[in-house]
Amino acid sequence: MDTFIIEGGRQLSGTITPQGAKNETLQVLCATLLTDEPVRIENIPDILDVNNLITLLTDIGVRVTRHSRHDYTFQADSLNLEYLGSDEFVNKCSSLRGSVLMIGPLLGRYGRAVVAKPGGDKIGRRRLDTHFYGFTRLGAEFDHVMGRDVYELKATRLKGCYMLLDEASVTGTANVIMAAVLAEGSTTIYNAACEPYIQQLCRMLNNMGAKITGIGSNLLNIDGVKELHGCCHKVLPDMIEVGSFIGLAAMVGNGIQIKDVSLPNLGMIPDVFRRLGVEVIEIGDDLFIPRHETYSVESFMDGTIMTLSDAPWPGLTPDLLSVLLVVATQANGSVLLHQKMFESRLFFVDKLIDMGANIILCDPHRAVVVGLNHAHRLRAGRMTSPDIRAGIALLIAALSADGVSRIANIAQIDRGYEDIEQRLNALGANITRQ
């Protein structure tokens, strides 16, 4: 198990460019299964979750051509459909949550798919009910195979329909969209997720010949087509990485510029950091975060404590709450963070408390942070990363702390952040991997 050794207390400065978006990449990679023609995708991040999915696509027969580190072509013209039901395939799927996004394309194009319990972050129960609801509304049937703990989905021909999703699930919406584009007739998806990555998926599918309207809203209309063709697609910058770099710059930056962030697709992320008192300067499509000797948390108009909570787009993405929590530990003022979607995502705060942070964990979903206002630096510590986002938050905390910290299980960080130690070391950090 690899470990990061981090020397804290160093000021970072310079320019950094975000990688391609992890969540969008997982969706559009699976969308390549919908056609037998080549699909070229640029700006693919070289991270563990994406590389594992590419390997899985190769295993089922997708021909993968690597033009450069971040530029690939995929052609699904000779899939091994028998392998899709094998124990080997099921076991690989169970270790990679992104594999769940293969269900919709396989069901839409071939009328069959096998679902294993997906892996990924250990942040509480992440149900697939929304996915199954959408598939059954389109006419699929599923059986639970008890001995193997998998679900087998089958459909002679999917048929379009109206559906109201019980939650605006991003992966659920993506899966249903990919199943519906080849269904017979029209499909209406209400309460659809409308994150930029869902919008990107829809635009890519339209470029492949799909007929999707309502892109950017929570009401999507899809007219099914008989087949799709190839296309070229470029992945957006990763807004979660952009937010992580804003938090890093606020805590330990001496002037950091974040390049090519695709500002229109960041939503409220810059403004949320501004609510914590962080100065975020927009320069074209770049962000500049100057050095902060201090930053003060805003309060609401009536003087009550600032509350930050996650919500479906265009609300605040839950993936940034861990970083915001760490940034709040050195703010001037107090803030309540409310994590609504996952019941275990705030449990990493005990590690921050051990480092000297003033945090009250009210329950599995809420934490109050009383900022230290740089009067007391965090202490170095020994930590283990429980998930991707907690991992990067702990790394930021360690960079701001007095002394040398160790973070174990950094494979979790590698799942979502490309070459993170090299990129931060180029800004002046001192991070080594053991």
Side-chain angles (χ1 to χ4, degrees):
M1 184 184 295
D2 285 354
T3 299
F4 277 152
I5 311 298
I6 306 107
E7 178 190 339
R10 298 168 69 98
Q11 290 291 311
L12 278 56
S13 62
T15 300
I16 193 166
T17 303
Q19 67 189 27
K22 167 183 176 282
N23 291 338
E24 178 189 341
T25 301
L26 296 176
Q27 294 175 23
V28 298
L29 287 182
C30 293
T32 65
L33 295 170
L34 287 164
T35 178
D36 61 2
E37 295 186 14
V39 178
R40 186 164 183 170
I41 304 176
E42 300 175 347
N43 202 30
I44 292 177
D46 185 4
I47 55 177
L48 194 59
D49 272 10
V50 168
N51 293 336
N52 285 342
L53 182 56
I54 292 174
T55 299
L56 193 58
L57 291 172
T58 303
D59 289 342
I60 67 174
V62 178
R63 290 191 286 155
V64 179
T65 303
R66 186 177 188 264
H67 306 291
S68 67
R69 188 181 185 190
H70 303 111
D71 182 0
Y72 290 77
T73 293
F74 303 85
Q75 187 166 7
D77 58 349
S78 56
L79 296 190
N80 182 355
L81 298 181
E82 295 305 315
Y83 180 73
L84 296 175
S86 68
D87 289 339
E88 181 180 354
F89 175 76
V90 168
N91 290 335
K92 288 183 177 181
C93 289
S94 66
S95 63
L96 174 64
R97 182 163 184 83
S99 65
V100 74
L101 288 160
M102 298 170 64
I103 305 169
L106 291 172
L107 193 59
R109 185 177 172 192
Y110 296 103
R112 55 186 286 196
V114 177
V115 185
K117 183 179 180 181
D121 292 327
K122 306 305 180 186
I123 52 177
R125 183 172 181 258
R126 305 176 75 176
R127 63 188 183 88
L128 298 178
D129 300 65
T130 303
H131 305 241
F132 279 75
Y133 170 78
F135 297 145
T136 54
R137 289 287 295 153
L138 291 170
E141 298 179 350
F142 66 90
D143 293 313
H144 185 204
V145 183
M146 297 296 293
R148 302 173 65 202
D149 197 23
V150 299
Y151 291 92
E152 294 180 350
L153 287 96
K154 295 180 181 179
T156 303
R157 180 71 194 271
L158 297 179
K159 293 187 177 181
C161 66
Y162 171 89
M163 64 180 75
L164 174 61
L165 301 184
D166 63 334
E167 66 169 329
S169 163
V170 175
T171 54
T173 299
N175 242 339
V176 174
I177 290 170
M178 289 188 282
V181 290
L182 293 178
E184 181 181 321
S186 297
T187 299
T188 298
I189 307 173
Y190 199 17
N191 196 30
C194 52
E195 274 78 357
Y197 306 144
I198 290 288
Q199 298 175 38
Q200 284 283 96
L201 172 66
C202 290
R203 294 188 186 104
M204 173 178 158
L205 291 171
N206 279 351
N207 287 337
M208 296 169 68
K211 296 180 179 180
I212 306 172
T213 58
I215 298 172
S217 76
N218 68 347
L219 181 63
L220 294 175
N221 291 290
I222 304 169
D223 290 329
V225 297
K226 291 185 177 180
E227 61 182 11
L228 298 179
H229 53 72
C231 74
C232 294
H233 180 79
K234 185 174 182 179
V235 174
L236 285 175
D238 195 312
M239 65 176 168
I240 311 303
E241 192 170 72
V242 172
S244 302
F245 293 154
I246 296 173
L248 172 81
M251 292 281 283
V252 297
N254 190 23
I256 292 179
Q257 186 153 347
I258 310 170
K259 296 286 291 181
D260 303 326
V261 300
S262 188
L263 192 59
N265 290 298
L266 292 183
M268 64 168 54
I269 289 173
D271 284 336
V272 169
F273 281 97
R274 291 180 180 120
R275 292 180 194 175
L276 293 181
V278 177
E279 186 178 3
V280 182
I281 302 170
E282 299 172 10
I283 306 173
D285 202 34
D286 299 351
L287 297 177
F288 179 74
I289 294 83
R291 178 170 180 168
H292 288 75
E293 299 294 343
T294 186
Y295 44 92
S296 298
V297 180
E298 296 179 359
S299 59
F300 288 117
M301 292 179 64
D302 61 359
T304 54
I305 185 173
M306 173 59 61
T307 300
L308 301 178
S309 58
D310 58 334
W313 185 269
L316 175 61
T317 171
D319 285 345
L320 270 181
L321 280 182
S322 300
V323 171
L324 289 163
L325 191 148
V326 168
V327 174
T329 64
Q330 289 297 334
N332 177 22
S334 301
V335 61
L336 169 65
L337 289 107
H338 190 175
Q339 163 63 263
K340 298 176 181 177
M341 296 188 184
F342 307 113
E343 67 269 19
S344 305
R345 204 164 209 168
L346 294 181
F347 285 172
F348 82 104
V349 302
D350 62 339
K351 303 170 179 65
L352 297 175
I353 293 171
D354 290 342
M355 297 175 75
N358 288 339
I359 304 173
I360 303 167
L361 186 60
C362 307
D363 55 44
H365 293 275
R366 296 176 300 162
V368 174
V369 184
V370 181
L372 299 172
N373 193 24
H374 292 93
H376 303 285
R377 293 260 297 272
L378 297 177
R379 299 184 297 269
R382 299 174 69 94
M383 300 159 272
T384 299
S385 173
D387 64 75
I388 300 174
R389 309 309 173 186
I392 199 68
L394 292 173
L395 180 57
I396 294 171
L399 287 166
S400 73
D402 278 326
V404 176
S405 297
R406 299 175 66 94
I407 302 178
N409 195 30
I410 59 172
Q412 287 284 3
I413 303 175
D414 291 335
R415 289 178 49 219
Y417 292 84
E418 178 182 308
D419 298 337
I420 191 63
E421 73 269 33
Q422 294 98 315
R423 296 160 75 199
L424 297 186
N425 285 346
L427 299 177
N430 185 1
I431 306 169
T432 57
R433 181 185 293 256
Q434 290 187 349

